[in-house]
Amino acid sequence: MPDVPPLLSPAPLDGPARSVAELPEPSPGLSCEELLDLDRRHVWHPYGPMPGRSEPLVVSSASGVRLRLARPAWGREELVDGMSSWWSAIHGYRHPVLDDAVRSQVERMSHVMFGGLTHEPAVRLAKRLVDIAPDGLEHVFLADSGSVSVEVAVKMCLQYWRSLGRPDKRRLMTWRGGYHGDTWHPMSVCDPEGGMHHLWSGALPEQVFADAPPDGFDTEPDPAYTAHLRKTIADHADELAAVIVEPVVQGAGGMRFHSPAWLRVLREACDEHDVLLVLDEIATGFGRTGALFASHHAGVAPDVMCVGKALTGGYLTMAATLCTTRVADGISRGEVPVLAHGPTFMGNPLAAAVAGASLDLLLGQDWAGEVGRIETGLRAGLAEAADLPGVRDVRVLGAIGVVQLDHEVDTAAATEAAVRAGVWLRPFRDLVYTMPPYVTGDEDVARIADAVCAAARAG
């Protein structure tokens, strides 16, 4: 009889390995109390202390646009999701097309390294992204997350200029009010005063900051601001590798909207002074602003573009950095002719398969009509917020609705008010906002708007 390999790893030094029969039985399902106690002691939540000081809601399942709670909160057992799980779940939850894509792919392979190997889901996804992206973006680097895709974009730009023998072009320019992620170089181009990364001032690379663009998607171009942008780029052209901005909507930096005209100004000034233009479409890509990519509002094509969040429909983490042939060829001609980056889970087949299915689903329907319908519902539902005490501004663009207060929001009170209204929101700073899934029905859009107003009153 041939030797049978053991089911368990070799015995540790301090004793023999146990057989399967000797292993403890799997623990039964945790009660909510047990789960929350373990969560508080061991789980470090985003932007929170350790141990946690507030009790998160426990989600047991999600379907459509609803989150089912394991334990009722303020009388609610389920909530309409007004956040698309941080702007990613554009098709809602448990969508049969996306579920089938994951199931089908896991039967083939869940993962294989991307170094020296390739596979159909990643190749198809890259081709699809090139087909729908702004003109000239021909090459796709698949990354783990949005922040990593920005890191890759920065590395592309720095390595491009080094390859061309111009290593002094190593700084980045952006405008104030932006947010590009929480890893190192992305933090350096987040707003240095109003953002959350002031803790790292003095340690981060020092970048060039222009003033924030004037508020308003429909704002007429201001000649003085145009001159300011042009001068800032001109003054630093010899040291600038790239300009990086969020097009049309500044997300986590303040949910501010600006005119597409400023993207045209940046494109022209970057071309004039030999500076690359990077557009961070992680939050705005795939229809959120009413255009497939926010840069389409301006008719501008960047040299490098980052996408993420909605790329996989919220199913798995994946992002991408796209670049032009100019950038790729420049790097390939350098002393080190490769892009020096390679995540372990790059091109993960499961994520690539569901991303491809998500894009097929999005582009196979009237996504612009659905986003426009949500925009109409949010405009109607949030109109009353303008008259609430403490409200500074109300703005809507595509499937984005924002109520800005004249004070720091009381997050606990605002969240409770929204949950009591049957909706999940995540207020921050002076903002109560919503980015619902595109499949949200009219009644639920109205409910979300009511909850935003209730949260603004409470906060």
Side-chain angles (χ1 to χ4, degrees), residues 151-167 169-170 241 276 327-341:
E151 293 277 6
V152 171
V154 172
K155 187 175 286 187
M156 282 181 176
C157 296
L158 297 181
Q159 193 170 345
Y160 171 81
W161 291 114
R162 285 179 177 271
S163 296
L164 268 59
R166 301 183 67 182
K169 288 174 75 66
R170 57 183 176 80
L276 299 176
V327 173
D329 284 354
I331 292 171
S332 298
R333 292 197 301 269
E335 179 183 355
V336 179
V338 300
L339 182 63
H341 204 89

Side-chain angles (χ1 to χ4, degrees), residues 54-397:
S54 60
E55 187 174 280
L57 306 185
V58 180
V59 178
S60 60
S61 63
S63 181
V65 299
R66 282 171 164 71
L67 308 176
R68 184 77 179 178
L69 302 181
R71 182 174 67 184
W74 295 296
R76 295 290 183 174
E77 295 184 347
E78 67 176 26
L79 303 174
V80 175
D81 179 19
M83 302 304 295
S84 298
S85 278
W86 264 336
W87 327 340
S88 63
I90 57 175
H91 306 298
Y93 303 92
R94 293 292 311 277
H95 195 291
V97 169
L98 303 188
D99 284 3
D100 285 347
V102 174
R103 277 193 293 264
S104 177
Q105 182 57 43
V106 81
E107 291 174 356
R108 297 181 178 90
M109 59 180 170
S110 59
H111 183 60
V112 62
M113 66 182 290
F114 215 47
L117 302 173
T118 194
H119 49 80
E120 185 173 344
V123 174
R124 283 186 175 275
L125 175 61
K127 180 61 167 64
R128 195 63 184 274
L129 288 172
V130 168
D131 288 344
I132 65 176
D135 290 345
L137 296 171
E138 295 288 335
H139 311 286
V140 181
F141 190 99
L142 297 171
D144 310 67
S145 67
S147 184
V148 173
S149 76
V150 175
E151 293 277 6
V152 171
V154 172
K155 187 175 286 187
M156 282 181 176
C157 296
L158 297 181
Q159 193 170 345
Y160 171 81
W161 291 114
R162 285 179 177 271
S163 296
L164 268 59
R166 301 183 67 182
D168 289 343
K169 288 174 75 66
R170 57 183 176 80
R171 296 184 75 189
L172 306 171
M173 185 194 120
T174 188
W175 46 35
R176 293 184 180 273
Y179 174 82
H180 298 277
D182 296 335
T183 52
W184 201 244
H185 264 100
M187 284 198 299
S188 75
V189 285
C190 295
D191 191 284
E193 295 175 2
M196 64 187 81
H197 301 131
H198 60 85
L199 174 66
W200 304 107
S201 60
L204 289 169
E206 294 186 4
Q207 312 295 10
V208 177
F209 286 87
D211 294 342
D215 287 330
F217 178 80
D218 297 318
T219 302
E220 288 296 319
D222 174 13
Y225 187 71
T226 297
H228 168 67
L229 285 181
R230 289 184 175 278
K231 184 176 188 305
T232 305
I233 293 174
D235 287 349
H236 297 274
D238 290 342
E239 60 178 343
L240 285 182
V243 171
I244 178 170
V245 298
E246 300 157 284
V248 177
V249 177
Q250 292 182 300
M255 304 304 300
R256 299 172 68 242
F257 307 157
H258 60 259
S259 170
W262 307 126
L263 302 181
R264 293 190 285 271
V265 172
L266 291 177
R267 179 71 277 177
E268 292 167 4
C270 285
D271 289 343
E272 181 180 350
H273 295 286
D274 207 12
V275 175
L276 299 176
L277 178 62
V278 180
L279 294 184
D280 177 350
E281 294 255 16
I282 293 164
T284 53
F286 310 113
R288 180 59 69 177
T289 68
L292 189 59
F293 297 100
S295 56
H296 287 169
H297 289 294
V300 163
D303 300 292
V304 180
M305 184 175 79
C306 302
V307 295
K309 287 194 181 292
L311 175 60
T312 69
Y315 269 58
L316 289 163
T317 179
M318 176 174 266
T321 308
L322 290 78
C323 74
T324 61
T325 298
R326 171 196 175 189
V327 173
D329 284 354
I331 292 171
S332 298
R333 292 197 301 269
E335 179 183 355
V336 179
V338 300
L339 182 63
H341 204 89
T344 300
F345 289 96
M346 182 178 179
N348 174 259
L350 282 177
V354 77
S358 178
L359 291 179
D360 288 345
L361 188 60
L362 178 68
L363 300 174
Q365 61 183 321
D366 181 17
W367 64 267
E370 292 303 291
V371 171
R373 174 184 58 80
I374 292 172
E375 180 177 38
T376 298
L378 290 177
R379 286 189 186 280
L382 296 180
E384 69 173 85
D387 297 324
L388 295 177
V391 170
R392 174 182 295 170
D393 187 40
V394 178
R395 48 190 180 269
V396 176
L397 178 66

Side-chain angles (χ1 to χ4, degrees), residues 438-456:
Y438 301 166
V439 296
T440 308
D442 291 342
E443 288 186 7
D444 284 334
V445 171
R447 177 179 291 186
I448 289 170
D450 287 345
V452 171
C453 293

